[in-house]
Amino acid sequence: MTRPIRTGGRAARHAARAAPLPDASRPVRPGLTGGRYKPLTEADVTRIHETALTALEEIGLSGAPPSGVASMTAAGAVQSDDGRLRFPRALVEDMLACAARDITLHARDPAFDLDLSGARVHFGTAGAAVSVVDAVTGDYRDSTLADLHEAARLADALDNIHFLQRPMVARDMTDDQTLDLNTLHACLTGTRKHVGTSFCTAATVPKCLDYLYAVAGGEDAFRARPFVLNSNCFVVPPMRFATESCEVMEACIRGGLPVLLLSAGQAGATAPATLAGAVMQAVAECLAGVVYVNSIAPGHPAIFGTWPFVSDLRTGAMSGGSGEQAVLTAACAQMGRFYGLPGGAAAGMADAKLPDMQAGWEQGMSDVMAGLAGLNMVYEAAGMHGSLMGFCPESLILGDDMIGAALRCVRGVEVTDETLALEAMRAVCLEGPGHYLGTESTLSVMQSEYVYPTLGCRISPKEWQEAGRPDLIAKARVRRAEIMAGPNIAAFAPELERSLRARFDLLV
Amino acid sequence: MTRPIRTGGRAARHAARAAPLPDASRPVRPGLTGGRYKPLTEADVTRIHETALTALEEIGLSGAPPSGVASMTAAGAVQSDDGRLRFPRALVEDMLACAARDITLHARDPAFDLDLSGARVHFGTAGAAVSVVDAVTGDYRDSTLADLHEAARLADALDNIHFLQRPMVARDMTDDQTLDLNTLHACLTGTRKHVGTSFCTAATVPKCLDYLYAVAGGEDAFRARPFVLNSNCFVVPPMRFATESCEVMEACIRGGLPVLLLSAGQAGATAPATLAGAVMQAVAECLAGVVYVNSIAPGHPAIFGTWPFVSDLRTGAMSGGSGEQAVLTAACAQMGRFYGLPGGAAAGMADAKLPDMQAGWEQGMSDVMAGLAGLNMVYEAAGMHGSLMGFCPESLILGDDMIGAALRCVRGVEVTDETLALEAMRAVCLEGPGHYLGTESTLSVMQSEYVYPTLGCRISPKEWQEAGRPDLIAKARVRRAEIMAGPNIAAFAPELERSLRARFDLLV
């Protein structure tokens, strides 16, 4: 379903550059193993788990649709007179035992498949921003379908953006069906990587499934390698199923889409203000989601999406860029590892309105901590500003360098006889020139161990002055234009595009 | 020796604001305990340790001054025909056994003393920048004594800058003695916090000691609470003592100053290009430093200063802002914890020439990782640009917010019955309004658990537009002016200042 790549010329060079390098020669790559940062002690983890089980057993969740009540009570959940569904511990444990583990999230191009086994880490976009940010002027304007398609194309070209969950809402779409269908088309025709999306209501799902099956070349082909995931806010915290979203989820499960079980409480508002409480509630809610999914389709692929957000308690406004958020997300990552479930959470969100220094530290700290904690899917990892209100293309491009550095940190320090370099030290100190410049051991790790930024500036102040003080944002803007002026490697084959346009109302 | 604080009026309000808040009511504070991030496995740590011991035994170090050779050979080191000093394992182990642990680094005002026990984390400045960076224009100009004094005053006012090691060189000083003496005076009259400094040669030390004893009110008073540390590059990596710096170190130890044993190899140039090798060499060199110090004065306070830097191997230039640097520093922190010695290393260095987004992620990632790894002294934590070439006052001010967030991450997630909030959840879900806004449990943690940035912007995009799109750097510039226009709380009492000026050539 990918357009055949012509040999020779500019397009081929672009294609070669855009293709993932062989694993062995890349200093960083998707799926490096994290987990060396453990914000919680083992006792903390157990205590959070036990408390979540108690919450599910004694408090339970309201709001499940009749279909969900039916499947969950059939599995062993108990509906009380107050309408809440309560979950005996044994039920949760049974459902955890049959939940899907070590899953692969597929991409349209298998080269970009995501292996979510163990503590393998992947970074990508996500969000529902309603604005696009002008990186220079600070203008926030309504985001459109064209913006979303551009984001997909940028993500396709950026090595360290491993997947595209739709980062913003196409506000120029007039109705739910048009929005959901065209969101898919804008994403899929812009990137070969794994795509995540939401659906407004269950009513829009059938046509979107028809579209996806057509793209895949048939329903069976899609079900064999589902390259789109349903990001699903199945709860309205605290402890209430989001009735309509649950119906969407059921439709997606039946249709063969993996789901992201997204619990997005906000500490101090819809979740406890204490970080431990926010983690506990998110865990309880996601465990309820695990019960839900597996009561319908045992072993159906689902991401444990503990996404609690932080509030600035002075105003109640969200603060995705805070240290509290960074450590909260890392703790959630650790809980996902505890269950051995594929975990996803949000990091990399800037409160800063522009890609400025504040944005850098907000995004960098939380991204690297999520990676070090072994989060399988780091959502919102780049491009998001104004506490998820705005998406900035230049920031996404700079985020590629930032995440490259974060991945280098996740990779960590390899300790072997060779890397310890005792013999190199002996030669340099006792026989050699007294330095390691240009030695065989230095040259041999130059490409394999070191990450070089694409736009990040490492020249000396003197060289920088002589070069006219190049500005970071201006460089990102140039790269944005270059990527968009290049060929769209992700575009569908013309005959597929034509047949889809004949069947569906596609606006990209 | 601090100026008495008048009661009432503007000065008192400033003083109250500048004074550290009581521990219990501060969400973050100096000395929070890190260590939940362990970049190395236990086996890695042991292997690095064992290899360093082998390197000390078999390769050893050249370049020790005769006085150092005398004390170290008296302790058990062996000088060979090739002039190198080699260290039997038993000697290193003996010296580690008597090395100072859990030390306090004093400050002129005891409220700012630094407790380096366990994995307690402190952030501060350091460096030898030769330029001051104009945050707006990007101008790099020679740094002066006045710049250094300003940096000290800013550090005094910033809660999350816990100490001041001299971040830049006063290039308007004409000779070594004037430089070293006035560097001390510029720092000490600008901040009440712990001060670190270097000395050009051993010849300048005696007059500086006279000065310090006078400031303290006598030699005994200084020795009881030495509020200045000697940052000492005692090695020229690889594995060579820096002869003159060693003489400075000996003079400082005799004079009662704690020392920072600073091994600053550059991976791929003066240290192995492999990260493991760079850690190993730094550990070996600092262990040699531990032998050196303790052979002169057993138990003398010394910081285990494993500061390997990273090169961009394409150019050989330093890259303090890289992911490689962040993980290297974190690994060094872990080695310090392994020995139970007070550890110091460099993080927070930006390659970016300006306080832009790149600077933010470079500084933020490495600072938070150093803190999470439990580094006792995080040097260079804020203000440094152009790979240590430039110091930027506005960046230091913004760094205070950045480090506040990093400290919040170090503090981590407290898991108790109360913070798990099961009962709050029960009340909210089963009896209450369905949300946690304004609940007792929310309000009670608003000040104690949440860090609020001073300049970092959290308002919504809409409010930000209405406020005229306030610029981060402009806000930092305003705060800089406010701090400098305020009273200098750290200034010496007038009579002390007068008597010092009568005795010493002071230029501030």
Side-chain angles (χ1 to χ4, degrees):
Chain A
M1 73 213 122
T2 334
R3 191 168 65 174
I5 294 164
R6 286 168 297 159
T7 53
R10 188 151 173 273
R13 285 196 305 278
H14 270 277
R17 207 181 305 153
L21 292 170
D23 266 11
S25 66
R26 293 183 66 182
V28 294
R29 48 189 178 271
L32 291 172
T33 294
R36 302 228 38 92
Y37 166 45
K38 293 185 168 63
L40 304 167
T41 65
E42 280 183 38
D44 291 342
V45 168
T46 307
R47 204 158 167 187
I48 290 169
H49 167 61
E50 290 293 333
T51 308
L53 288 184
T54 304
L56 287 170
E57 194 161 53
E58 298 181 1
I59 301 171
L61 282 81
S62 62
S67 52
V69 172
S71 57
M72 287 186 271
T73 51
V78 180
Q79 191 168 33
S80 321
D81 292 346
D82 62 1
R84 301 185 78 86
L85 215 50
R86 290 181 169 83
F87 302 82
R89 285 171 180 244
L91 168 63
V92 178
E93 283 158 8
D94 286 354
M95 290 301 184
L96 277 171
C98 74
R101 287 176 161 70
D102 299 336
I103 65 173
T104 295
L105 285 183
H106 297 280
R108 199 154 57 85
D109 179 340
F112 297 100
D113 280 2
L114 308 173
D115 170 4
L116 305 194
S117 63
R120 291 179 188 276
V121 176
H122 308 84
F123 291 89
T125 62
V130 292
S131 308
V132 165
V133 185
D134 184 306
V136 174
T137 65
D139 223 44
Y140 274 62
R141 64 161 173 79
D142 285 1
S143 48
T144 66
L145 195 65
D147 295 320
L148 182 60
H149 182 63
E150 182 184 11
R153 290 201 50 200
L154 296 176
D156 194 73
L158 300 169
D159 273 352
N160 300 317
I161 305 296
H162 303 144
F163 60 88
L164 177 86
Q165 183 152 310
R166 86 80 171 83
M168 61 193 140
V169 178
R171 297 181 69 187
D172 51 345
M173 299 296 96
T174 48
D175 61 82
D176 289 352
Q177 184 69 71
T178 310
L179 173 62
D180 289 348
L181 187 64
N182 280 281
T183 295
L184 277 174
H185 194 63
C187 291
L188 288 169
T189 55
T191 184
R192 300 158 294 167
K193 299 177 182 178
H194 168 80
V195 165
T197 192
S198 298
F199 300 105
C200 299
T201 69
T204 73
V205 175
K207 187 169 281 188
C208 291
L209 288 173
D210 286 347
Y211 166 87
L212 290 173
Y213 299 159
V215 171
E219 179 172 344
D220 290 348
F222 182 79
R223 287 181 179 271
R225 294 185 39 83
F227 45 79
V228 171
L229 161 147
N230 172 222
S231 171
N232 194 296
C233 290
F234 73 105
V235 284
V236 185
M239 304 297 272
R240 182 152 62 90
F241 284 112
T243 316
E244 288 206 356
S245 295
C246 289
E247 290 165 352
V248 169
M249 182 173 77
E250 293 188 22
C252 287
I253 292 172
R254 283 193 303 271
L257 270 67
V259 294
L260 164 59
L261 292 167
L262 207 166
S263 154
Q266 197 173 321
T270 56
T274 49
L275 302 190
V279 175
M280 185 278 284
Q281 180 176 295
V283 165
E285 290 169 344
C286 285
L287 287 176
V290 168
V291 171
Y292 200 149
V293 169
N294 288 280
S295 74
I296 298 175
H300 188 83
I303 310 290
F304 198 71
T306 40
W307 283 40
F309 291 124
V310 161
S311 309
D312 186 311
L313 295 181
R314 299 170 303 185
T315 60
M318 184 191 151
S319 171
S322 60
E324 288 83 358
Q325 180 72 62
V327 75
L328 189 54
T329 294
C332 286
Q334 193 177 347
M335 292 309 298
R337 300 308 320 126
F338 168 70
Y339 293 114
L341 296 174
M349 304 163 284
D351 293 333
K353 263 50 73 184
L354 285 172
D356 58 11
M357 181 175 166
Q358 178 187 343
W361 83 63
E362 291 180 327
Q363 297 186 356
M365 277 189 196
S366 58
D367 271 338
V368 80
M369 287 169 64
L372 294 173
L375 186 63
N376 297 123
M377 297 286 281
V378 185
Y379 289 101
E380 322 253 26
M384 300 307 277
H385 289 268
S387 310
L388 299 182
M389 296 297 281
F391 173 83
C392 176
E394 286 79 8
S395 180
L396 178 68
I397 289 168
L398 293 171
D400 187 55
D401 272 353
M402 174 182 71
I403 293 170
L407 282 165
R408 184 60 190 85
C409 296
V410 171
R411 176 169 162 183
V413 180
E414 280 98 351
V415 179
T416 64
D417 278 350
E418 197 167 72
T419 61
L420 282 168
L422 180 65
E423 296 316 314
M425 182 197 273
R426 198 190 306 273
V428 160
C429 291
L430 301 184
E431 300 150 28
H435 63 73
Y436 298 83
L437 285 167
T439 62
E440 177 56 33
S441 61
T442 294
L443 295 175
S444 69
V445 299
M446 186 172 160
Q447 292 299 331
S448 61
E449 285 232 11
Y450 283 74
V451 176
Y452 302 102
T454 305
L455 297 181
C457 179
R458 290 184 172 176
I459 58 178
S460 72
K462 184 167 174 290
E463 292 167 306
W464 184 72
Q465 304 289 352
E466 288 164 1
R469 304 181 185 178
D471 173 71
L472 190 67
I473 303 298
K475 284 161 70 178
R477 184 149 286 193
V478 169
R479 181 141 197 247
R480 175 183 173 190
E482 283 171 357
I483 293 171
M484 294 311 292
N488 178 5
I489 301 167
F492 291 167
E495 58 274 29
L496 172 61
E497 183 74 30
R498 265 193 307 274
S499 73
L500 292 170
R501 287 187 181 274
R503 284 181 61 193
F504 302 98
D505 186 22
L506 300 177
L507 305 172
V508 181
Chain B
M1 71 213 125
T2 333
R3 190 168 67 174
I5 293 165
R6 286 167 297 158
T7 53
R10 187 151 173 275
R13 284 197 305 279
H14 269 277
R17 210 179 304 154
L21 293 169
D23 265 10
S25 67
R26 293 183 67 182
V28 294
R29 46 190 180 271
L32 291 172
T33 294
R36 303 228 36 93
Y37 166 46
K38 294 185 168 63
L40 304 167
T41 65
E42 281 185 37
D44 290 341
V45 168
T46 307
R47 204 159 166 187
I48 290 169
H49 167 61
E50 290 293 333
T51 308
L53 288 184
T54 303
L56 287 169
E57 195 161 53
E58 298 181 1
I59 301 172
L61 281 82
S62 62
S67 52
V69 172
S71 58
M72 286 186 273
T73 53
V78 181
Q79 192 169 33
S80 321
D81 293 344
D82 62 0
R84 301 184 78 87
L85 216 49
R86 290 181 169 82
F87 303 82
R89 285 172 178 242
L91 168 63
V92 178
E93 282 157 8
D94 286 353
M95 290 304 183
L96 276 171
C98 73
R101 286 177 163 69
D102 300 335
I103 65 172
T104 295
L105 284 184
H106 297 280
R108 198 153 61 84
D109 179 340
F112 297 100
D113 280 2
L114 307 173
D115 170 4
L116 305 195
S117 63
R120 290 178 188 276
V121 176
H122 307 84
F123 290 90
T125 62
V130 293
S131 307
V132 165
V133 185
D134 184 307
V136 174
T137 65
D139 223 45
Y140 275 61
R141 64 161 174 79
D142 285 1
S143 49
T144 67
L145 195 64
D147 294 320
L148 182 60
H149 182 64
E150 182 184 12
R153 290 201 49 200
L154 297 177
D156 194 74
L158 300 170
D159 273 351
N160 300 317
I161 304 296
H162 303 145
F163 61 88
L164 178 85
Q165 184 153 310
R166 87 82 170 83
M168 60 194 140
V169 178
R171 297 181 68 185
D172 51 344
M173 299 295 97
T174 48
D175 61 82
D176 289 352
Q177 184 70 71
T178 309
L179 172 63
D180 287 348
L181 187 64
N182 280 282
T183 294
L184 277 174
H185 194 64
C187 292
L188 288 169
T189 56
T191 186
R192 301 158 292 167
K193 299 178 182 178
H194 168 79
V195 166
T197 192
S198 299
F199 301 106
C200 299
T201 69
T204 74
V205 176
K207 187 168 280 188
C208 291
L209 287 172
D210 285 348
Y211 166 87
L212 289 172
Y213 299 158
V215 172
E219 179 172 343
D220 290 349
F222 181 81
R223 287 180 179 273
R225 293 186 38 82
F227 45 81
V228 171
L229 160 147
N230 171 224
S231 171
N232 195 294
C233 290
F234 73 105
V235 284
V236 185
M239 304 296 275
R240 181 151 62 92
F241 284 113
T243 316
E244 288 207 356
S245 294
C246 288
E247 290 165 352
V248 170
M249 182 172 77
E250 293 187 22
C252 288
I253 291 172
R254 283 193 304 270
L257 271 66
V259 295
L260 164 59
L261 291 166
L262 207 166
S263 154
Q266 198 172 321
T270 58
T274 49
L275 302 189
V279 176
M280 186 278 284
Q281 181 176 296
V283 166
E285 290 169 344
C286 284
L287 287 175
V290 168
V291 172
Y292 200 148
V293 170
N294 288 281
S295 75
I296 298 174
H300 188 84
I303 310 290
F304 197 71
T306 40
W307 283 39
F309 291 123
V310 161
S311 311
D312 186 311
L313 294 181
R314 299 170 303 184
T315 60
M318 184 190 150
S319 170
S322 59
E324 288 82 359
Q325 180 71 62
V327 74
L328 189 55
T329 294
C332 286
Q334 193 177 347
M335 292 309 299
R337 301 307 321 125
F338 169 71
Y339 294 114
L341 296 173
M349 306 163 283
D351 293 332
K353 263 51 73 184
L354 285 171
D356 58 12
M357 181 174 166
Q358 179 188 342
W361 83 63
E362 291 180 327
Q363 297 185 356
M365 278 190 197
S366 57
D367 272 338
V368 80
M369 287 168 65
L372 294 173
L375 186 63
N376 296 122
M377 298 285 281
V378 185
Y379 290 101
E380 322 252 27
M384 301 305 277
H385 290 267
S387 311
L388 299 181
M389 296 298 281
F391 173 82
C392 175
E394 287 80 8
S395 180
L396 178 68
I397 289 168
L398 293 171
D400 187 54
D401 272 352
M402 174 182 69
I403 294 170
L407 282 165
R408 184 61 190 84
C409 296
V410 171
R411 177 170 161 183
V413 179
E414 279 98 353
V415 179
T416 65
D417 278 350
E418 198 166 72
T419 60
L420 281 168
L422 180 65
E423 296 317 314
M425 182 197 273
R426 200 189 304 276
V428 160
C429 291
L430 302 184
E431 299 150 30
H435 62 74
Y436 299 84
L437 284 167
T439 61
E440 178 56 33
S441 62
T442 294
L443 295 174
S444 70
V445 299
M446 186 172 159
Q447 292 299 331
S448 61
E449 285 233 10
Y450 282 74
V451 176
Y452 302 102
T454 306
L455 298 181
C457 178
R458 289 185 173 175
I459 59 178
S460 72
K462 182 167 175 291
E463 293 167 306
W464 183 71
Q465 304 288 353
E466 288 164 3
R469 304 181 184 178
D471 173 72
L472 189 68
I473 303 298
K475 284 161 70 179
R477 184 150 285 192
V478 169
R479 179 139 198 247
R480 175 184 173 188
E482 283 172 356
I483 293 170
M484 295 311 292
N488 179 5
I489 302 166
F492 291 166
E495 57 276 29
L496 173 61
E497 183 73 29
R498 266 194 304 275
S499 74
L500 291 171
R501 286 186 180 276
R503 283 180 61 194
F504 301 98
D505 185 21
L506 300 177
L507 305 172
V508 180

